[in-house]
Amino acid sequence: MADIHIDDFFHDCAKTLVHLYNAFPRLTSLYVDDIITPEPVDEFGLPSRRHQACFDSFLWLAREGYIHYSERVRLEGLDQVVLTEKSFLRLSLPSLNIDPDEQPEHIALKRGTLGWQFREVLKSGTTHQLNQLCQHFFTIKS
């Protein structure tokens, strides 16, 4: 059985981290609709399972020390959100051995960060590549 919920979790985490990295160091609001395509609520006004899973990925990132937030906005998102130092450093420090002969060093260093790699994989990568990048991000020793 395919673990599609894990693929969705990695996708939500990656998009969340990139969203906050692009806003860093500003405190910002983060809504589920910023990360996934909006889905209709059910006949009782409750969010879909996919919406709830995305929101729960926000809470997991906070619990595990990857983001800080001041308060929940119902089940829609979080307010005053920012990356933690741990996440910022993981996303901004060079993560690959770069061959300086291929491109100027300052460009190679930027493209060697996990922040850059997440952006590129989200734009045109595969689910497998995104999953591997997330696993790498989460397993970096602080």
Side-chain angles (χ1 to χ4, degrees):
M1 180 176 163
D3 291 328
I4 295 173
H5 65 289
I6 301 299
D7 294 342
D8 289 343
F9 170 75
F10 283 144
H11 182 267
D12 297 347
C13 287
K15 282 194 77 170
T16 299
L17 292 167
V18 167
H19 182 83
L20 295 173
Y21 186 65
N22 290 339
F24 192 83
R26 290 178 291 115
L27 297 173
T28 188
S29 296
L30 177 66
Y31 292 96
V32 170
D33 290 351
D34 295 333
I35 305 303
I36 64 170
T37 303
E39 295 196 358
V41 295
D42 69 11
E43 63 271 12
F44 303 107
L46 297 173
S48 69
R49 289 177 57 118
R50 181 68 184 97
H51 178 102
Q52 185 63 47
C54 182
F55 182 75
D56 288 343
S57 72
F58 297 168
L59 299 179
W60 184 88
L61 287 167
R63 248 188 341 270
E64 297 302 319
Y66 294 104
I67 65 174
H68 287 299
Y69 70 95
S70 67
E71 60 187 311
R72 295 181 187 192
V73 180
R74 298 174 306 280
L75 293 174
E76 304 303 314
L78 305 174
D79 196 28
Q80 302 294 297
V81 188
V82 68
L83 293 174
T84 61
E85 176 187 28
K86 173 170 75 172
S87 288
F88 173 71
L89 291 176
R90 288 178 183 192
L91 291 169
S92 63
L93 292 175
S95 64
L96 298 175
N97 294 325
I98 304 297
D99 183 2
D101 294 334
E102 290 184 22
Q103 51 197 321
E105 182 180 0
H106 68 282
I107 293 174
L109 290 175
K110 283 278 189 212
R111 291 183 178 178
T113 65
L114 282 177
W116 179 279
Q117 293 171 33
F118 270 120
R119 281 190 208 109
E120 292 302 304
V121 170
L122 284 167
K123 277 193 277 187
S124 59
T126 66
T127 298
H128 179 70
Q129 290 171 319
L130 185 62
N131 292 358
Q132 285 187 314
L133 196 55
C134 284
Q135 289 171 353
H136 174 65
F137 176 85
F138 292 133
T139 58
I140 294 172
K141 299 293 182 210
S142 298

